[in-house]
Amino acid sequence: MPRASGPLAEALRRGSVLLDGGLSNQLAAQGCDLSGDLWTGRVLDERPDQVEAAHTAYARAGAQVLITASYQVDPRHPRAAALLRRSVDLAARAAETADHEVWVAASVGPYGAVLADGSEYRGRYGLSVRRLADFHRPRIEALLAAGPDVLALETVPDPDEAEALLTVLAETGAPAWLSYTVADGRTRSGDPLPAAFARAAGSEQIIALGVNCCDPAEVLPALEAAAATTRKPLLAYPNDGSVWNAATRTWRTPDHPAPWPTRAWRTAGARLVGGCCRIGPDRITALAAELSRTGDMTDDQSS
């Protein structure tokens, strides 16, 4: 079946849409080497076949949106434009293998991701909004040239970086979602969530707002904060509750992982639902079955 023919925004008005899971954990499960600062970008450069295979695993698991491997590609890299285009092309090819419609979301990770030191979980890099916009602009332009269905402005740690991304987005006219990474009921930089969500609520190009790469227990309060500031569809794709240690490059898994009350998330307004780090195809298959049982999945595309 070809890629989705209609805008994702229209699908969200009809019901829930299922996102994929974590790309890095799936690549690791396939035996890929994720060492070094490029992380998944290294595999994108050296083993694009493995990136396509990871996307295909999620498409076959029932995911309706595939998020590209561009999260950690530094736009200053000599081959950045080619790698960014490749990331979209690989996801689009994987989408063709599904027996349901699949959208391709081009990942635009935060500035902190390219530093490879965990800065995306702190924010406040000491850069102005203008400098952050200048950093993001060439990557966004290169991704859009490859023809994704939507931009995923994801794992944003603070409102200033959100403002920079929205500044560049306004220059393009492209649709996008924006998701913060949060902790303790605030953005990772410590800013209150209502004000953070309000930064993006007025943008007509933002088709959904929410959170990703956070503990599942953080999701519902964040969605409630977002719903108080916007009538846009909301989104949630948390990790499994593990905490990333940038110094040792390892995850610390909780002794008692938080449950995933996805019904409560959808009741709060979440229409894009999926997983981030350490959430694999099996979990996405289970989510697809859950959405199918409730009749909530857009066009019941869970076959």
Side-chain angles (χ1 to χ4, degrees):
M1 179 177 287
R3 277 172 55 183
S5 57
L8 179 58
E10 292 181 6
L12 294 177
R13 287 192 283 269
R14 299 195 301 269
S16 296
V17 174
L18 181 61
L19 296 166
D20 58 8
L23 186 59
S24 59
N25 49 269
Q26 180 58 23
L27 290 172
Q30 293 170 194
C32 297
D33 184 358
L34 301 180
S35 62
D37 290 349
L38 283 176
W39 201 15
T40 54
R42 174 179 179 178
V43 187
L44 176 64
D45 189 14
E46 299 176 358
R47 293 297 307 276
D49 60 312
Q50 290 295 320
V51 174
E52 184 175 350
H55 287 315
T56 299
Y58 283 116
R60 292 178 177 172
Q64 296 170 284
V65 181
L66 300 177
I67 303 174
T68 65
S70 49
Y71 175 84
Q72 206 163 10
V73 175
D74 191 330
R76 299 163 297 191
H77 187 283
R79 298 182 55 242
L83 290 174
L84 293 168
R85 176 177 289 277
R86 175 184 289 177
S87 73
V88 175
D89 291 344
L90 293 172
R93 290 202 323 231
E96 297 283 349
T97 69
D99 58 3
H100 54 273
E101 288 188 310
V102 178
W103 288 267
V104 171
S107 173
V108 181
Y111 174 78
V114 307
L115 302 179
D117 63 357
S119 293
E120 66 263 49
Y121 300 116
R122 298 189 297 270
R124 300 301 184 202
Y125 318 112
L127 300 179
S128 66
V129 170
R130 180 175 179 178
R131 286 189 64 190
L132 286 170
D134 289 344
F135 169 83
H136 285 295
R137 186 172 289 107
R139 177 165 51 166
I140 288 175
E141 291 174 348
L143 287 169
L144 289 176
D149 296 296
V150 64
L151 294 173
L153 311 179
E154 58 178 355
T155 325
V156 179
D158 66 64
D160 283 353
E161 186 154 27
E163 184 175 338
L165 288 163
L166 292 167
T167 296
V168 179
L169 186 69
E171 299 167 1
T172 69
W177 77 64
L178 188 143
S179 56
Y180 287 99
T181 178
V182 300
D184 301 321
R186 304 172 78 86
T187 69
R188 293 282 185 168
S189 59
D191 291 271
L193 287 177
F197 286 122
R199 294 270 188 122
S203 170
E204 294 184 1
Q205 293 167 252
I206 294 296
I207 65 170
L209 273 170
V211 294
N212 79 292
C213 206
C214 61
D215 191 296
E218 298 279 351
V219 171
L220 186 57
L223 292 177
E224 291 171 345
T229 64
T230 181
R231 296 178 63 86
K232 294 179 183 291
L234 306 183
L235 64 93
Y237 53 115
N239 56 37
D240 70 345
S242 298
V243 177
W244 175 249
N245 186 319
T248 62
R249 301 183 69 83
T250 58
W251 289 98
R252 187 179 75 248
T253 303
D255 294 330
H256 304 288
W260 279 44
T262 51
R263 183 182 293 274
W265 297 350
R266 298 198 307 276
T267 298
R271 292 295 174 266
L272 275 170
V273 180
C276 200
C277 300
R278 300 170 68 84
I279 301 299
D282 289 350
R283 192 65 170 270
I284 299 306
T285 296
L287 280 173
E290 177 184 337
L291 293 174
S292 181
R293 284 195 305 271
T294 61
D296 197 34
M297 185 177 282
T298 296
D299 291 342
D300 194 24
Q301 297 176 43
S302 58
S303 59

